[in-house]
Amino acid sequence: MTDLVTFGESMGALTFTESPQIGARPRASFGGAETNVAIGMARLGHSTAWVGSVGKDLFGYMIMRTLRGEGVRWDHARQITTAPTGVLVSRHAGLGTFAVDYHRKFSAGRLITADQIRAMFDLEPKIVHLTGITPALGEEARAATMLAVELAGERGVPVSFDVNFRSRLWDATDAAPVLAQIARGAHVVFGGTEELELLTGESGVAAATQRLLDWGVAEVVWKDSTTARVTTPTESVERPGRRVTVVDTIGAGDAFVAGYLSGWLEGLSFAERLDRGHLLGAFAVGTIGDWEGGPTREELTIAEISGGEVAR
Ligand code: KDG
């Protein structure tokens, strides 16, 4: 069995820490909400796999090599020659603020296929994790997402759904019914206030959460920058986040999800899952890059015990 299988788009990332100009040196890496979660959990010792497509190009090789190096299985991912790996260019303006340009309209990432989705169930996932970014990438990716939810339902595999609404990729009117359909098939839904309101059509977190529970979602995880709350049909638990110096907020939500799901797989209580989510989020915001700051199991243990210093 595989603890977590996820699919989506992974993109090359070029990050400037100064205004781009001739001679400015960006930092090269890659990002993608789903690979961020897969790496975050793999570092904690969970078996994870990512399914998707990248180009046969320099960023594609970087992503493939890194995922393998991080121990994320790649069985049903592919490198294709018909489209390039997407690229995300960002400029950090300090204190966690940034500007982002996507170059992904014709990317390999949106060409994930139904066959890849069917094959990913061969890995016998304990959890299938997906985000609301994938269905926004185009027809093929949307169909693949819906197929994943359907097959997970048929096989009794719990679906973890991080709403991740991206207004640059589609507008709210198009997104709402698609995100709602995914949520109806999910065991756990992660989202902020506006995201939960968008997909349920309700006003306010309480009403949106109740609507999701009515749809059969077992765990609704609402979060903002300072706190997170999980609500089930029988209980509601809230835990505050950690106070840390913010360097780069990108990837924090994914790190939170990785921590929460890791805790779920280990049978932790809701409060402990939220705490682990916050802790991984704190590691993520303290470092530049989407996933690079994620702790190993040893670092996590030290941080959980001491709440403090971690040798790297
Ligand atoms: O959560 C981080 C992601 O937003 C980032 O890696 C890029 O996947 C991305 C997206 O599509 O916005």
Side-chain angles (χ1 to χ4, degrees):
M1 293 192 86
T2 309
D3 287 345
L4 177 115
V5 177
T6 186
F7 62 93
E9 176 165 32
S10 218
M11 292 171 292
L14 292 174
T15 308
F16 290 90
T17 49
E18 57 187 331
S19 187
Q21 53 190 300
I22 304 294
R25 291 185 189 191
R27 173 181 179 277
S29 182
F30 71 92
E34 301 82 6
T35 41
N36 294 344
V37 173
I39 294 172
M41 292 183 67
R43 286 198 176 173
L44 299 182
H46 294 286
S47 52
T48 67
W50 176 76
V51 176
S53 303
V54 295
K56 240 182 185 169
D57 47 32
L58 294 175
F59 274 127
Y61 282 109
M62 176 205 269
I63 292 167
M64 180 187 72
R65 275 198 312 267
T66 310
L67 289 180
R68 286 184 175 158
E70 293 284 341
V72 176
R73 287 182 67 171
W74 171 272
D75 309 44
H76 303 298
R78 53 184 195 144
Q79 272 192 292
I80 58 176
T81 50
T82 46
T85 307
V87 179
L88 186 155
V89 182
S90 63
R91 187 208 154 200
H92 285 258
L95 287 178
T97 61
F98 52 88
V100 179
D101 292 333
Y102 286 143
H103 301 274
R104 69 194 307 186
K105 204 167 180 187
F106 304 104
S107 68
R110 87 213 132 86
L111 300 178
I112 183 163
T113 67
D115 282 347
Q116 285 178 286
I117 295 296
R118 281 191 204 93
M120 89 184 182
F121 284 93
D122 296 348
L123 299 169
E124 299 183 30
K126 290 185 191 163
I127 299 172
V128 166
H129 175 70
L130 56 96
T131 80
I133 298 170
T134 315
L137 298 176
E139 286 302 315
E140 206 154 0
R142 187 172 309 176
T145 308
M146 293 312 176
L147 180 64
V149 176
E150 187 187 321
L151 294 180
E154 283 172 17
R155 288 162 170 75
V157 179
V159 170
S160 158
F161 174 41
D162 190 353
V163 181
N164 265 339
F165 172 62
R166 295 285 184 268
S167 57
R168 294 232 199 151
L169 297 178
W170 53 354
D171 66 39
T173 322
D174 291 334
V178 177
L179 298 174
Q181 199 183 337
I182 299 170
R184 284 173 183 272
H187 175 96
V188 53
V189 174
F190 297 90
T193 302
E194 287 176 9
E195 291 175 327
L196 299 188
E197 288 180 338
L198 168 71
L199 76 93
T200 58
E202 299 288 348
S203 169
V205 185
T209 300
Q210 188 53 51
R211 176 55 56 110
L212 287 164
L213 295 175
D214 293 343
W215 287 350
V217 177
E219 298 170 29
V220 180
V221 184
W222 163 83
K223 54 198 167 65
D224 69 11
S225 56
T226 59
T227 191
R229 181 169 61 234
V230 55
T231 307
T232 74
T234 54
E235 62 184 309
S236 186
V237 179
E238 183 162 344
R239 299 287 290 168
R242 296 192 170 216
R243 287 183 164 274
V244 288
T245 306
V246 175
V247 176
D248 173 10
T249 54
I250 300 185
D254 307 324
F256 178 91
V257 168
Y260 185 93
L261 296 180
S262 156
W264 174 16
L265 286 164
E266 287 170 26
L268 300 189
S269 68
F270 287 122
E272 290 166 331
R273 294 183 208 178
L274 295 174
D275 286 346
R276 183 173 291 182
H278 283 312
L279 185 52
L280 261 68
F283 273 97
V285 299
T287 44
I288 293 246
D290 273 36
W291 50 268
E292 290 89 322
T296 60
R297 171 65 62 165
E298 189 193 6
E299 290 165 338
L300 177 80
T301 307
I302 296 169
E304 275 177 343
I305 293 168
S306 68
E309 297 190 2
V310 179
R312 289 192 145 255

